[in-house]
Structure formats: structure tokens, C-alpha cells
Amino acid sequence: MVSVVQNVAIDCADAYELACFWSRVTGGPLHPEDRPGAPEAQVILPEGPVLHFNQVPEPKTGKNRLHLCLRPQTSREEEVERLLGLGATLAVDRREPGGAGWAVLADPEGNEFCVLRSASDRAAMGA
């Protein structure tokens, strides 16, 4: 017997607004019953677990112990710029001059996530 990951739960101050941000990031729709002000909201991804946002009273403190890593369909650089335009911030830049590495961004509530090299970025580097 094994367990299947049903969802990735993300604590936040505003479940609906943060779910809207992640919906724009992933292209996944919100659950049809989600509404502004609701204490929970979900982004339905085409593959893998659901992103489940839980409204909690305490603010985020410290670095995430678990985070999402995104592999963009466009180049990493284009995706970083797009996500910054959606309201993310650059937390730590781990990109290297030769093109390797990743960018650590934070969502509007400060939850860190990584943007990896795309398949085309990796192919261009031979990795």
C-alpha cells in the first residue's frame, strides 16, 4: 500500500487572492466554488496534485521548508520576467553567467518558489 499526494497545502492570509496569483502562474483554473473572502481556495492543475490555499491567522515567518519548482515552457528568463509582472519578487538569484542555475522568487505573500531552466534552455547548454 502507498499514499497518493492529493494536494499541496499553502498557508496564507488571503486564500482566494493567492490562489488567483497561482492560477495565473500555472494556467490552472480555480475550483468552481471558490469565491473572494473564502478561507480556502484551490488551483486545479492538469497533472499532479491540487494547489490548496488555507487562510491562517499567523503571518509567514522564515524560509519555506517545502517549495514548488517550476519548469517553464518558455525560457527561464522570459518566465521570470512574466512572473515578476504578475506580482512575484526576486528573492535570491542563483542564475549563473553561463546559463545554469535557477531563480528563487516569492509570491505576493512571500512564499518562495524556484524557476528552473526550460527544456530549450537545457538543450541549448547540452544538459
Side-chain angles (χ1 to χ4, degrees):
M1 298 300 266
V2 298
S3 294
V4 175
V5 176
Q6 176 65 38
N7 64 51
V8 176
I10 301 166
D11 290 351
C12 56
D14 189 327
Y16 183 79
E17 285 302 316
L18 197 56
C20 287
F21 169 81
W22 281 98
S23 176
R24 291 188 300 274
V25 168
T26 64
L30 294 177
H31 187 280
E33 296 176 9
D34 290 344
R35 300 287 180 264
E40 297 180 347
Q42 294 183 341
V43 175
I44 312 301
L45 301 176
E47 296 180 27
V50 168
L51 297 180
H52 183 90
F53 299 88
N54 297 309
Q55 195 162 303
V56 297
E58 66 275 356
K60 178 187 180 294
T61 58
K63 184 181 180 296
N64 297 6
R65 294 294 302 252
L66 175 74
H67 65 267
L68 302 177
C69 292
L70 307 178
R71 184 156 326 268
Q73 294 176 341
T74 62
S75 76
R76 178 190 58 208
E77 304 315 315
E78 290 174 304
E79 185 65 354
V80 166
E81 289 305 312
R82 184 181 81 86
L83 298 174
L84 293 173
L86 292 177
T89 56
L90 182 64
V92 181
D93 196 342
R94 302 264 189 234
R95 294 174 284 186
E96 298 175 10
W102 60 93
V104 180
L105 276 61
D107 71 19
E109 290 202 16
N111 301 300
E112 297 93 359
F113 61 97
C114 295
V115 180
L116 309 173
R117 293 178 295 159
S118 67
S120 61
D121 290 337
R122 292 172 56 87
M125 290 185 61

